Structure formats: C-alpha cells, structure tokens
C-alpha cells in the first residue's frame, strides 16, 4: 500500500531544507492562480458584452423584382424540356431503337464479367 504519511514527511523535510525554493514555488503558483482567475473574469465579461451587442437579423424586403442573371444563349431548335409519353410509338421505335447484334451482346457480357471479378476479387 501507499504510505501517504511517508510522502508528507518527505515533502516537509524537502521544504525545510530548501525554504527559498519552496517560497519561490508557492509564490509563483499563487501568481499563476491569480492570472488565471483574471483571464477567466475577463473572458466572461467579453462574452457578456458580445451577447449584448449581437445585432438582430434583418428581414429581407423585396421592393423590386428579382433580376435574372445573363446566361449562355440557348441555340435555336434546342428543347429544354418536353412531355414524354409512357410508351414509344412505332415510328419512334424505328427511329431511335436498334437491336444489338450478338457480337455487341458478347462484348457487354465480358465487360460485366470483368467488373464483377474486380469487385469480388478472389472471394470464395
């Protein structure tokens, strides 16, 4: 077990042998505590002053219409949005859809297999 009385006796002997050093240590500790208390008091007073000086948020009042910024010019014939149908017409299918041939399907399958192998690696 720790013998507290022994430590206290050793500290008392050390202080009696080095009174000058003990006095300087106590004085410096006292100065540090005073400085810390002054810093804490000043920081609290600054925090109170900042709280009091906070400005209320101003509300935005629109008295003029908003100006739309200039942007890139949209080319003629360019449609930014359109109504899409749920199903393609036969004409749209013929115009836009192409059936892939077996070579393209095989390439796609190999590309998918490579991606799967990269993801799972050597996992069992």
């Amino acid at each position: 077990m720790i013998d507290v009385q022994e430590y206290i006796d050793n500290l008392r002997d050390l202080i009696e042998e080095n009174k000058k050093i003990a006095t300087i240590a106590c004085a410096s500790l006292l100065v540090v505590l005073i400085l810390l208390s002054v810093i804490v008091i000043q920081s609290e007073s600054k925090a109170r002053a900042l709280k009091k000086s906070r400005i209320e948020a101003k509300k935005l009042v629109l008295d003029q219409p908003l100006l739309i910024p200039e942007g890139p010019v949209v080319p003629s014939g360019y449609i930014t949005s359109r109504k899409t149908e749920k199903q393609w017409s036969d004409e749209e299918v013929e115009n836009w859809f192409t059936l892939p041939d077996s070579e393209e399907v095989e390439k796609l399958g190999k590309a998918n297999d490579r991606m799967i192998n990269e993801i799972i690696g050597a996992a069992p």
Side-chain angles (χ1 to χ4, degrees):
M1 290 187 82
I2 300 174
D3 189 13
V4 178
Q5 190 62 37
E6 182 181 338
Y7 287 116
I8 293 174
D9 290 338
N10 288 339
L11 183 62
R12 190 173 293 143
D13 291 340
L14 183 66
I15 291 173
E16 287 177 7
E17 290 173 7
N18 303 316
K19 286 191 178 200
K20 191 174 187 178
I21 294 175
T23 306
I24 292 172
C26 288
S28 62
L29 183 63
L30 186 63
V31 168
V32 167
L33 287 175
I34 291 172
L35 287 175
L36 284 176
S37 62
V38 167
I39 290 171
V40 167
I41 290 171
Q42 283 184 346
S43 66
E44 286 179 5
S45 64
K46 284 182 182 179
R48 282 190 214 129
L50 283 174
K51 236 182 205 180
K52 287 181 182 177
S53 69
R54 282 192 181 156
I55 300 172
E56 292 184 20
K58 293 183 180 180
K59 290 186 178 181
L60 179 64
V61 178
L62 294 177
D63 55 351
Q64 296 179 358
L66 292 175
L67 296 175
I68 300 173
E70 291 184 22
V73 179
V74 178
S76 62
Y78 185 81
I79 301 173
T80 55
S81 65
R82 66 182 179 94
K83 183 180 173 187
T84 57
E85 301 295 329
K86 290 185 179 186
Q87 191 173 358
W88 283 6
S89 66
D90 292 337
E91 183 181 304
E92 288 175 323
V93 170
E94 202 169 299
N95 188 21
W96 299 108
F97 187 73
T98 57
L99 287 172
D101 59 356
S102 60
E103 185 179 322
E104 290 174 346
V105 172
E106 191 175 314
K107 284 182 185 177
L108 180 61
K110 287 180 182 178
N112 287 340
D113 290 340
R114 268 195 311 273
M115 285 185 358
I116 291 170
N117 287 335
E118 285 179 16
I119 292 172
I120 60 174

